């Protein structure tokens, strides 16, 4: 039977019976569903056909954005070929209305949109171009082909907005170098899942691929190779622009004072010399927090970062600092004494991080730091965003941090570089980011989360299939209404179709389980 | 050199594989460390004396005394393939010098010593894959009894060549005498749970040759789909494949796989697993599967092959007649694993049959009854067979040359002891189920397996003829198969080829990290072992 109008999930939630399954299967048959699930989605069985020859995207007459809006002009072109892979041109159906704000870069702006598909035309309304991008993505997922290859879209009403403003994905380009095309491909796939922040963990102990204009020796001496394994300024520009076109912010991470071994190669005297007894052992530890030159260097570097990366946030790291080297160094010990830190090296780290955070604030940038910084010292600048990465007790940590009034990002349960046999996307999907003890005001301080793909075992050979569709689980958790998306079994068929859709779009997304896609991946 | 390779500490290993910036090492050491043979040859001597190879002057040729000549297409193809592996993209050598210097290596002579080089044949379980390789001033000589050994030697030769800092190709004075420890070194791919496009299978055959694997165990059909297009029973794939046109292997696809494998000295052993794992067969062949009952009426679902109908055996006779002609290898894998008895139990006709035959309620007897008849059918096609361990465990009477594959992880040693104790040859795959993934360097676990580590006589140990790395397909398709298989399967490759004493994980890490970069350079997306980089990163996507 075909219900005439399906208020899909609104009324499905209370019904838990066989009827529900029937409804879902009918619905799935008709359209491919949308991933992540929109906040409100009403569909009917009435379908409209789309002719690739006649279909086109046009700006609404009252839209603030018109031809010349580079983000949307490019998005129209992109989504046309996503919807009709075999065609290149056409003209006539969809209206897009925008009251666009003038932007310089993507920020935590309004991503909401309304999409109304009726006979003859569809209208997409959004406050910003970023909302329009999200709506175009949903629209593209609503279009389907019948057995004869004709294109259809059902009569649909969508009211949609993200649950969390910060929906990030972390790539690590230090433990392995990721060629530019791998990063750009990841950005494409992020847009399909409505992720909106690319957290670029660009440097770390093993290598420093960021080519700095101020300190060229950092990559000259700290990259795996000074020419083939670096990101030039124009590479970085390209990443930022590719991301902007897709409504994705690029937040770079320059992690210090730990995780900086590769920095030391190009910047003498930056790292703390470790001692063996009374003599330097020849090895180096974290950034030396006791000398002025360190802070001068960090200030210049952060100035450059501000200049290169338009986003108003910058990630300063601050995690996993090993104190052994500091402890061994007589100058550091003297400094500790002078500052009255006693033997508590967490105070030394806090001292360093505070200076760096203040520097960042002076540059009009908001700092993000890993949880360690808060764990060592709860009194840190109020507008600092804290990111939770330690898995065991993240709920308690959420309580504590929000209690202290900080905005928080959750990535602990989404370390998807950790792999295991089977459908581990279900673990990611089951995460409830606001399920911790605290008042409503605290819950609001959870501004989002991040999927992290650390690079120990990942490079261009296996990055994409390891990311997708596993990251999609967190994408839905961060975008959709949790009440409507608690059941992984219900999500499974929709995710399966979405992964086939990713394949069709050229994303090397691995299978969830046995089965097949109409268009299998045809690369290697 | 061997000692240096074996004893180099991990620190050195890490440095070597992650960088070609060897500031800390003297030149001589550096050059020796550039060599990363995988799997490690049985006997290997190398000196620091290096010769240069120029793509303008270097040639791979048939030795005068060789029984093989230009008509040997296996070798001719291999010469071209390995020339390209050694010199890479030839465009960049366009301006290379023509002049030959004294320190150049100008040719590799390939000398096939036996009267029949087997150029038009197929490799088999009995194939002699040994070879000797000698690299000395101005020329190198590769001696092998037949073309198959020469293929292994060519791979080793290509691995000996390294680039110096100026981009020139070098090879050191070297003597190698090499042969495999085990005769059956296989990879199992499953093309039923997910369809694997031809391209993926061929690329993995390439990678197998780079690792000296010599058996492609093609688990071609199973419950989920039947992609093998049968000439005798076209409905099998027409109705049993995921899609009758886009998700099938046509006869010419199968031929291409077999020929591509042959060119690389790889046997193709197809597996047609029965009586369980056959759901997809039922779509195309009426009455082949057992109808399951719910109470007194058929439930509409089906179980294993119906062992009580003559039509089942008639079908198998016809079907395996076809298989025995399509696949040239002397062995066919007949499966026989994981038969679920619940459906048989539910069926009243089967119950009656059990009583008639005096099987009581022991359904493994019914399974044996089926397998026994199947084995006779296949034996009549003059093929040997391989079976999963359950067939042996259930006491089925097996031909002497049956190969029993041990796949169950618990009591593996006991099983090896029993199977070889009963005088059967066996291969081991239990410790090498590569579809099971975990975080970190699990290749080390595969590497540390010692296949002969079970109680038994020397004669019993001799019956262990090899092993297989299995990549079952539940979570694997074209998107992730290749990086998931390589270089993890390479660990198994060395265990099955190299001497028993080659067990140093630190040294293996060093060579394997470089070997994986070599695979990447040759276009195989082999995933990283750990943090680091390759000079040429993977550029596909």
């Amino acid at each position: 039977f075909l219900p005439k109008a399906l208020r899909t999930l609104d009324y499905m939630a209370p019904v838990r019976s066989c009827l529900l399954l029937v409804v879902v299967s009918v619905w799935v048959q008709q359209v491919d569903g949308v991933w992540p699930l929109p906040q409100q989605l009403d569909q009917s069985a009435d379908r409209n056909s789309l002719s690739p020859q006649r279909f086109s995207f046009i700006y609404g007459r009252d839209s603030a954005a018109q031809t010349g809006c580079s983000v949307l002009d490019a998005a129209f072109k992109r989504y046309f070929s996503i919807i009709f892979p075999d065609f290149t041109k056409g003209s006539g159906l969809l209206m897009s209305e925008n009251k666009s704000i003038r932007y310089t870069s993507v920020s935590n702006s309004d991503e909401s949109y309304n999409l109304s598909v009726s006979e003859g035309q569809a209208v997409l309304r959004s406050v910003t171009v970023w909302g329009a991008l999200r709506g175009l993505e949903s629209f593209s997922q609503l279009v389907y082909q019948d057995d004869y290859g004709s294109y259809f879209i059902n009569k649909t009403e969508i009211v949609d907005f993200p649950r969390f403003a910060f929906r990030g994905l972390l790539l690590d380009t230090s433990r392995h170098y990721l060629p530019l095309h791998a990063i750009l491909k990841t950005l494409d796939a992020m847009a399909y899942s409505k992720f909106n922040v690319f957290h670029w963990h660009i440097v770390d102990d093993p290598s420093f691929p960021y080519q700095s204009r101020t300190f060229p020796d950092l990559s000259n001496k700290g990259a795996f190779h000074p020419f083939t394994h670096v990101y030039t300024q124009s590479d970085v520009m390209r990443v930022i622009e590719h991301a902007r076109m897709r409504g994705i912010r690029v937040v770079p991470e320059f992690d210090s004072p730990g995780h900086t071994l590769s920095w030391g190669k190009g910047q003498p005297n930056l790292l703390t010399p470790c001692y063996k007894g009374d003599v330097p052992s020849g090895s180096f530890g974290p950034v030396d927090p006791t000398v002025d030159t360190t802070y001068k260097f960090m200030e210049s570097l952060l100035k450059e970062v501000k200049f290169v990366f338009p986003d108003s946030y910058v990630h300063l790291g601050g995690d996993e600092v090993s104190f052994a080297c500091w402890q061994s160094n007589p100058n550091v010990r003297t400094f500790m004494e002078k500052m009255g830190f006693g033997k508590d090296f967490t105070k030394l780290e806090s001292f360093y991080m505070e200076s760096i955070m203040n520097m960042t604030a002076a540059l009009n940038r908001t700092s993000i730091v890993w949880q360690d910084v808060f764990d060592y010292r709860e009194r840190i600048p109020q507008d600092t965003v804290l990111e939770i990465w330690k898995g065991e007790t993240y709920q308690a940590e959420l309580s504590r941090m929000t209690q202290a009034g900080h905005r928080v990002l959750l990535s602990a349960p989404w370390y998807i570089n950790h792999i295991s046999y089977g459908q581990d996307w279900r673990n990611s999907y089951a995460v409830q980011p606001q399920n911790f003890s605290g008042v409503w005001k605290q819950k609001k301080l959870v501004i989002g989360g991040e999927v992290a793909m650390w690079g120990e075992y990942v490079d261009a050979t296996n990055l994409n299939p390891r990311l997708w569709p596993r990251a999609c689980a967190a994408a839905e958790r961060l975008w959709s209404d949790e009440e409507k998306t608690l059941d992984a079994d219900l999500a499974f068929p929709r995710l399966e179709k979405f992964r086939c859709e990713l394949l069709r779009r050229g994303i090397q997304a691995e299978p969830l389980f046995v089965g097949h896609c109409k268009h299998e991946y045809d690369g290697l | 050199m061997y000692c240096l390779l074996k004893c180099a500490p991990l620190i050195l290993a890490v440095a070597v594989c992650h960088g070609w910036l060897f500031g800390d090492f003297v030149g001589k050491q550096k050059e020796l460390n550039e060599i990363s043979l995988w799997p490690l040859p049985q006997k290997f001597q190398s000196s620091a004396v290096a010769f240069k190879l120029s793509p303008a002057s270097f040639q791979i040729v048939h030795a005068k005394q060789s029984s093989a000549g230009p008509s040997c297409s296996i070798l001719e193809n291999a010469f071209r393939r390995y020339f390209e592996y050694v010199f890479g993209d030839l465009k960049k050598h366009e301006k290379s010098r023509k002049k030959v210097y004294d320190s150049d290596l100008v040719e590799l002579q390939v000398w096939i010593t036996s009267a029949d080089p087997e150029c038009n044949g197929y490799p088999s379980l009995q194939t002699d894959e040994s070879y000797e390789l000698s690299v000395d001033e101005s020329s190198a000589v590769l001696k092998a009894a037949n073309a198959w050994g020469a293929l292994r030697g060519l791979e080793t030769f290509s691995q000996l060549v390294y680039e110096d800092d100026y981009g020139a190709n070098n090879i050191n004075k070297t003597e190698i005498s090499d042969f495999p420890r085990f005769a059956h070194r296989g990879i199992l791919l499953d093309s039923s749970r997910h369809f694997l496009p031809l391209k993926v299978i061929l690329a993995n055959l390439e990678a197998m040759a780079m690792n000296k694997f010599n058996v492609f165990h093609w688990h071609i059909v199973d419950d989920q789909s039947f992609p093998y297009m049968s000439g005798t029973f076209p409905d099998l794939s027409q109705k049993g494949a995921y899609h009758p046109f886009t998700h099938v292997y046509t006869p010419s696809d199968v031929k291409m796989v077999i020929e591509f494998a042959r060119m690389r000295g790889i046997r193709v052993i197809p597996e047609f697993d029965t009586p369980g794992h056959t759901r997809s067969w039922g779509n195309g062949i009426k009455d082949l599967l057992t109808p399951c009952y719910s109470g007194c009426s058929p439930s509409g679902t089906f179980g294993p092959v119906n062992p009580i109908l003559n039509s089942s055996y008639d079908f198998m006779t016809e079907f395996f007649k076809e298989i025995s002609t399509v696949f040239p290898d002397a062995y066919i894998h007949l499966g026989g694993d994981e038969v679920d008895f619940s459906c048989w139990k539910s069926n009243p006709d089967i119950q009656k049959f059990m009583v008639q035959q005096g099987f009581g309620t022991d359904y493994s007897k019914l399974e044996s009854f089926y397998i026994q008849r199947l084995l006779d059918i296949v034996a009549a096609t003059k093929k040997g067979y391989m079976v999963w361990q359950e067939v042996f465990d259930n006491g089925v009477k097996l031909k002497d040359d049956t190969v029993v594959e041990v796949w169950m992880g618990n009591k593996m040693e006991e099983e090896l002891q029993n199977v070889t104790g009963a005088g059967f040859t066996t291969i081991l795959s239990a410790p090498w189920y590569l579809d099971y993934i975990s975080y970190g360097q699990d290749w080390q676990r595969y590497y540390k397996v010692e296949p002969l580590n079970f109680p038994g006589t020397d004669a019993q140990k001799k019956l262990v003829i090899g092993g297989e790395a299995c990549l079952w397909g539940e979570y694997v398709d074209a998107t992730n198969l290749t990086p998931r298989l390589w270089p993890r399967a390479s660990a198994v490759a060395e265990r099955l080829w190299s001497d028993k004493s080659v067990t140093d994980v630190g040294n293996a890490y060093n060579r394997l990290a470089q070997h994986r970069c070599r695979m990447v350079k040759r276009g195989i997306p082999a995933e990283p072992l750990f943090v680091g980089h390759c000079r040429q990163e993977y550029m596909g996507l």
Side-chain angles (χ1 to χ4, degrees):
Chain A
F1 79 108
L2 292 176
K4 200 155 182 217
L6 283 175
R7 301 188 68 80
T8 46
L9 285 158
D10 278 323
Y11 84 106
M12 274 160 57
V15 189
R16 292 209 161 257
S17 66
C18 294
L19 176 69
L20 173 73
L21 290 174
V22 173
V23 171
V24 168
S25 68
V26 167
W27 176 57
V28 163
Q29 229 173 19
Q30 282 183 340
V31 295
D32 285 342
V34 178
W35 192 279
L37 193 71
Q39 301 286 344
Q40 282 176 38
L41 171 69
D42 302 329
Q43 281 188 312
S44 91
D46 302 341
R47 59 182 200 181
N48 302 304
S49 60
L50 281 77
S51 154
Q53 273 79 29
R54 297 180 46 220
F55 177 87
S56 90
F57 296 106
I58 53 175
Y59 291 95
R61 217 175 332 135
D62 304 327
S63 171
Q66 294 292 340
T67 306
C69 169
S70 62
V71 172
L72 288 182
D73 289 348
F76 290 171
K77 187 174 162 188
R78 207 163 59 237
Y79 279 105
F80 191 90
S81 39
I82 282 174
I83 295 170
F84 309 110
D86 306 328
F87 296 86
T88 45
K89 56 170 185 176
S91 84
L93 183 99
L94 186 85
M95 313 264 289
S96 163
E97 272 188 40
N98 291 281
K99 293 198 171 108
S100 170
I101 48 160
R102 291 181 70 84
Y103 53 85
T104 50
S105 65
V106 195
S107 63
N108 274 350
S109 51
D110 192 339
E111 290 173 290
S112 65
Y113 67 92
N114 292 354
L115 176 64
S116 164
V117 182
S118 54
E119 214 181 315
Q121 73 166 16
V123 179
L124 171 62
R125 282 195 182 77
S126 66
V127 180
T128 67
V129 290
W130 318 120
L133 289 176
R134 305 296 167 245
L136 284 167
E137 177 55 42
S138 296
F139 179 80
S140 75
Q141 294 187 24
L142 289 171
V143 178
Y144 60 98
Q145 279 178 282
D146 69 4
D147 287 349
Y148 303 93
S150 307
Y151 293 94
F152 292 98
I153 186 166
N154 287 33
K155 194 167 179 304
T156 306
E157 295 290 331
I158 289 178
V159 176
D160 202 10
F161 51 88
R163 177 179 175 203
F164 293 107
F166 195 115
R167 304 178 307 283
L169 185 147
L170 176 151
L171 290 186
D172 168 0
T173 57
S174 171
R175 290 180 174 88
H176 285 99
Y177 177 78
L178 298 174
L180 204 60
H181 65 92
I183 296 177
L184 301 181
K185 199 76 165 175
T186 302
L187 290 168
D188 291 347
M190 284 172 68
Y192 303 150
S193 293
K194 296 191 172 73
F195 278 107
N196 68 350
V197 179
F198 169 37
H199 175 169
W200 195 350
H201 188 86
I202 191 166
V203 299
D204 204 302
D205 284 330
S207 77
F208 198 106
Y210 172 76
Q211 200 173 65
S212 161
R213 46 176 81 206
T214 324
F215 304 102
D217 270 355
L218 286 170
S219 65
N220 271 343
K221 299 185 176 166
F224 284 132
H225 186 281
F227 298 106
T228 59
H229 288 65
V230 293
Y231 302 106
T232 63
Q233 289 289 312
S234 78
D235 289 342
V236 173
M237 292 301 156
R238 221 174 128 193
V239 168
I240 292 169
E241 184 61 7
H242 197 90
R244 186 179 81 88
M245 285 298 187
R246 286 153 184 79
I248 296 169
R249 303 160 49 192
V250 178
V251 175
E253 177 179 353
F254 286 85
D255 190 354
S256 70
H259 289 283
T260 46
L261 218 60
S262 68
W263 304 38
K265 295 182 182 156
Q267 192 61 28
N269 305 323
L270 177 66
L271 303 186
T272 311
C274 313
Y275 276 65
K276 211 175 175 161
D278 295 335
V279 286
S281 70
S283 65
F284 293 90
V287 164
D288 188 342
T290 67
V291 290
D292 283 346
T293 51
T294 291
Y295 298 98
K296 287 211 181 83
F297 165 80
M298 286 305 293
E299 193 167 11
S300 309
L301 182 68
L302 287 170
K303 264 191 192 139
E304 173 177 333
V305 168
K306 175 192 162 124
F307 180 79
V308 173
F309 295 90
D311 200 81
S312 62
Y313 288 67
V314 56
H315 204 303
L316 299 175
D319 60 319
E320 298 185 304
V321 182
S322 155
F323 296 141
C325 183
W326 278 347
Q327 234 153 358
S328 76
N329 183 301
N331 298 331
V332 174
R333 289 199 301 263
T334 312
F335 185 80
M336 292 280 289
E337 231 163 85
K338 199 176 90 192
M339 301 298 288
F341 291 162
K343 298 240 175 289
D344 186 355
F345 284 88
T346 66
K347 288 193 173 138
L348 182 58
E349 195 204 333
S350 297
F351 169 82
Y352 170 82
M353 286 308 293
E354 204 171 309
S355 316
I356 302 298
M357 287 188 282
N358 288 339
M359 249 175 232
T360 308
L363 293 166
N364 278 323
R365 288 289 188 262
T366 305
S367 309
I368 306 176
V369 293
W370 295 109
Q371 69 178 89
D372 314 44
V373 178
F374 171 81
D375 294 346
Y376 288 148
R377 186 166 182 211
E378 303 212 352
R379 288 166 55 90
I380 51 181
Q382 195 70 57
D383 73 330
T384 306
V385 175
L386 305 172
E387 181 160 12
I388 299 178
W389 66 274
K390 291 184 180 174
E392 317 81 46
T393 53
Y394 72 82
Q395 272 119 342
E397 187 80 358
L398 278 165
S399 292
R400 268 199 304 280
M401 288 175 170
T402 53
Q403 179 86 52
H406 284 291
R407 288 176 299 160
V408 181
L409 285 171
L410 185 62
S411 72
W414 290 315
Y415 265 37
I416 64 173
N417 54 310
H418 293 279
I419 52 169
S420 58
Y421 185 72
Q423 297 194 34
D424 59 359
W425 70 273
R426 288 170 186 265
N427 305 334
S428 297
Y429 199 70
V431 173
Q432 296 178 282
Q434 288 170 320
N435 184 18
F436 59 91
S437 61
V439 297
W440 178 237
K441 225 176 101 187
Q442 280 174 267
K443 311 269 165 124
K444 296 267 275 193
L445 287 170
V446 180
I447 59 168
E450 288 193 335
V451 167
M453 182 56 79
W454 295 100
E456 279 85 349
Y457 300 101
V458 177
D459 72 1
T461 61
N462 60 353
L463 173 74
N464 275 303
R466 203 163 276 201
L467 263 181
W468 312 106
R470 293 167 72 230
C472 300
E476 178 147 301
R477 182 56 58 243
L478 292 167
W479 178 281
S480 308
D481 185 340
E482 193 172 283
E483 290 298 312
K484 294 174 181 174
T485 54
L486 279 174
D487 190 334
D489 290 336
L490 275 183
F492 182 79
R494 196 160 40 88
L495 184 54
E496 240 185 349
K497 292 215 162 175
F498 184 56
R499 105 98 182 166
C500 286
E501 178 60 24
L502 290 175
L503 277 194
R504 201 184 66 121
R505 297 181 184 192
I507 303 298
Q508 199 178 339
E510 69 178 19
L512 293 169
F513 193 52
V514 296
H516 78 293
C517 295
K518 205 153 134 195
H519 305 275
E520 300 288 0
Y521 182 67
D522 71 347
L524 243 201
Chain B
M1 177 58 203
Y2 178 72
C3 183
L4 185 73
L5 267 179
K6 260 194 90 173
C7 313
L10 186 59
I11 303 289
L12 175 69
V14 172
V16 168
C17 65
H18 297 310
W20 43 279
L21 303 163
F22 293 90
D24 302 338
F25 303 102
V26 293
K28 209 181 274 178
Q29 253 175 331
K30 177 176 107 184
E31 280 164 15
L32 290 175
N33 280 298
E34 291 272 5
I35 304 165
S36 55
L37 297 176
W38 194 279
L40 200 67
Q42 301 283 348
K43 282 182 203 142
F44 171 43
Q45 264 191 320
S46 170
S47 87
V49 179
F51 313 107
K52 290 209 169 5
L53 291 81
S54 153
S57 56
F58 178 77
Q59 293 184 45
I60 306 177
V61 297
H62 297 282
K64 275 203 193 76
Q65 316 91 315
S66 178
S67 61
S71 66
C72 183
S73 64
I74 293 182
L75 288 180
E76 289 295 327
N77 274 304
F79 291 176
R80 182 178 60 192
R81 194 163 67 242
Y82 282 103
F83 188 88
E84 282 170 6
Y85 282 159
V86 167
F87 295 108
D89 187 2
L90 283 174
K91 277 177 210 143
K92 88 178 184 203
H93 294 292
E94 263 166 2
K95 283 181 189 159
S96 58
R97 66 205 163 86
K98 282 280 187 289
K99 190 172 181 326
V100 176
Y101 295 92
D102 288 348
S103 60
D104 280 6
L105 187 79
V106 293
E107 64 178 12
L108 169 64
Q109 297 183 15
V110 178
W111 178 3
I112 306 299
T113 55
S114 67
D116 178 11
E118 300 182 34
C119 291
N120 301 312
Y122 289 89
S124 73
L125 185 56
Q126 287 75 34
T127 291
D128 177 3
E129 292 173 286
S130 66
Y131 65 92
E132 280 168 28
L133 177 62
S134 158
V135 180
D136 207 339
E137 201 162 329
S138 79
S139 80
V141 179
L142 169 61
K143 229 165 108 177
N146 54 51
W148 316 116
L151 290 176
R152 305 295 168 245
L154 283 165
E155 176 59 39
T156 302
F157 177 82
S158 75
Q159 296 190 2
L160 285 170
V161 179
Y162 60 94
E163 250 179 75
D164 65 21
D165 282 352
Y166 302 94
N169 288 298
N170 285 263
I171 190 166
N172 288 17
K173 189 171 184 304
T174 305
E175 295 289 333
I176 288 176
S177 167
D178 200 11
F179 53 88
R181 181 177 173 209
F182 293 103
H184 183 119
R185 304 180 307 283
I187 294 278
L188 177 150
L189 297 183
D190 168 0
S191 59
S192 171
R193 285 167 180 110
H194 286 98
F195 178 75
L196 301 175
L198 205 57
K199 193 161 141 182
V200 172
I201 294 179
L202 301 185
N204 280 281
L205 288 168
E206 295 262 31
M208 283 171 67
M210 295 171 199
N211 289 276
K212 297 191 171 73
F213 276 106
N214 68 352
V215 177
F216 171 34
H217 175 166
W218 194 352
H219 188 86
I220 190 166
V221 299
D222 205 300
D223 282 333
Q224 287 78 7
S225 76
F226 199 105
Y228 172 78
M229 198 186 267
S230 160
T232 325
F233 302 100
D235 272 356
L236 280 167
S237 65
Q238 194 68 33
K239 298 184 177 165
Y242 282 129
H243 187 283
F245 298 106
T246 60
H247 288 64
V248 292
Y249 302 107
T250 65
S252 78
D253 290 342
V254 172
K255 264 203 195 106
M256 191 190 282
V257 168
I258 293 169
E259 181 62 7
F260 198 90
R262 187 182 80 90
M263 285 289 171
R264 286 154 184 80
I266 296 170
R267 303 161 55 198
V268 177
I269 298 180
E271 176 180 353
F272 288 91
D273 190 355
T274 66
H277 290 282
T278 47
R279 214 165 58 233
S280 68
W281 303 45
N283 297 341
I285 305 295
K286 209 172 149 282
D287 298 331
L288 178 66
L289 303 185
T290 310
C292 314
Y293 276 64
S294 182
C296 302
S297 51
S299 68
T301 63
F302 294 89
V305 167
N306 193 333
I308 67 169
L309 299 179
N310 277 330
S311 57
S312 295
Y313 300 101
D314 294 343
F315 165 79
M316 292 298 168
T317 307
E318 285 301 303
F319 182 72
F320 279 102
K321 203 185 278 172
E322 171 183 332
I323 298 308
S324 67
T325 56
V326 169
F327 292 91
D329 199 81
Y331 284 84
I332 299 174
H333 202 302
L334 299 176
D337 61 318
E338 297 187 306
V339 182
D340 177 10
F341 295 144
S342 58
C343 182
W344 278 348
K345 279 182 197 165
S346 77
N347 182 305
D349 297 328
I350 303 249
Q351 288 161 12
K352 217 181 294 163
F353 186 81
M354 293 282 289
V355 176
Q356 266 170 27
Q357 296 286 327
F359 291 164
T361 52
D362 186 355
Y363 283 84
S364 69
K365 285 193 176 138
L366 180 59
E367 184 188 348
S368 300
F369 171 84
Y370 166 82
I371 297 270
Q372 199 70 65
R373 287 191 64 174
L374 179 71
L375 295 187
D376 293 342
I377 288 168
V378 173
T381 67
K382 305 274 186 275
K383 292 282 186 185
Y385 38 75
M386 296 178 57
V387 290
W388 296 108
Q389 69 178 75
E390 286 102 314
V391 176
F392 169 82
D393 297 346
N394 290 342
V396 176
K397 200 167 134 268
L398 299 166
K399 271 199 309 179
D400 290 346
D401 63 346
T402 304
V403 177
V404 177
E405 182 158 11
V406 175
W407 69 276
M408 289 177 169
N410 63 327
K411 299 191 183 160
M412 178 181 96
E413 286 87 6
E414 205 180 306
E415 183 76 8
L416 286 171
Q417 197 184 355
N418 292 341
V419 172
T420 55
F424 290 106
T425 47
T426 183
I427 60 169
L428 186 62
S429 63
W432 294 316
Y433 266 37
L434 270 52
D435 50 322
Y436 291 108
I437 52 169
S438 58
Y439 187 67
Q441 299 196 36
D442 54 2
W443 71 272
Q444 298 188 4
R445 217 169 51 230
Y446 309 132
Y447 192 74
K448 286 174 185 161
V449 173
E450 170 43 55
L452 300 189
N453 199 8
F454 65 92
T457 63
D458 283 354
Q460 275 177 278
K461 309 262 164 132
K462 280 228 169 71
L463 289 170
V464 179
I465 55 166
E468 291 187 344
C470 300
L471 194 63
W472 295 100
E474 279 85 350
Y475 298 100
V476 176
D477 72 1
T479 61
N480 58 355
L481 183 141
T482 312
R484 190 160 289 189
L485 189 56
W486 309 105
R488 293 163 75 228
S490 304
V492 182
E494 178 150 298
R495 183 54 53 240
L496 294 173
W497 177 281
S498 304
D499 189 74
K500 188 178 178 178
S501 65
V502 180
T503 54
D504 183 331
V505 172
N507 169 261
Y509 179 93
N510 167 17
R511 284 181 295 117
L512 187 52
Q514 287 197 66
H515 181 56
R516 97 98 186 171
C517 286
R518 177 164 51 224
M519 287 193 274
V520 168
K521 190 175 157 194
R522 295 178 181 184
I524 304 295
E527 68 178 21
L529 292 177
F530 193 54
V531 176
H533 81 294
C534 297
R535 203 191 290 206
Q536 276 172 263
E537 301 289 356
Y538 185 63
M539 286 317 282
L541 252 199

